Amino acid sequence: PSPRSFQPDGASEEALRCEIEELKQKDLALDQEIAQLLSEGYSLEELDKHISLLHEYNEIKDAGQMLLGKLAVIRGVTTKQLYPEYDLELSD
């Protein structure tokens, strides 16, 4: 391949510039959000812990949904029909 084949054309170069600008804006917005949270008294460690707990919660919830789905298949019912039996809300 020639060196020319690796050079972006004008359109893709402009698209890359736009993408870089969008990422810079997102970075700035996140920095501002972090600054806001810190000014409200949150610490980075607390935020990291909260994020970690949210990930753990989501993993447990996914496992529960999977088990409910398998149980529903075994019983020949919908997952929705199992919710009252286990005192679950549809929004859970």
Side-chain angles (χ1 to χ4, degrees):
S2 70
R4 176 79 180 131
S5 65
F6 294 111
Q7 295 177 350
D9 62 20
S12 60
E13 193 173 313
E14 182 60 29
L16 287 173
R17 280 194 196 106
C18 288
E19 187 175 349
I20 289 169
E21 187 57 37
E22 287 174 15
L23 290 171
K24 286 180 180 179
Q25 292 299 320
K26 286 181 183 180
D27 184 48
L28 180 61
L30 288 172
D31 285 344
Q32 290 171 342
E33 190 174 341
I34 289 170
Q36 175 68 31
L37 290 169
L38 292 173
S39 74
E40 292 173 5
Y42 293 97
S43 70
L44 289 177
E45 294 80 16
E46 184 179 14
L47 293 172
D48 286 341
K49 179 67 174 171
H50 184 72
I51 290 169
S52 176
L53 289 172
L54 282 173
H55 284 295
E56 184 178 348
Y57 167 80
N58 285 328
E59 289 173 6
I60 292 168
K61 182 178 176 184
D62 289 346
Q65 289 294 325
M66 186 176 60
L67 290 173
L68 274 177
K70 290 182 184 251
L71 183 58
V73 169
I74 291 169
R75 291 189 182 177
V77 298
T78 66
T79 303
K80 183 178 178 180
Q81 291 171 309
L82 293 176
Y83 273 58
E85 184 178 338
Y86 295 98
D87 295 321
L88 298 171
E89 299 289 327
L90 287 176
S91 61
D92 285 341

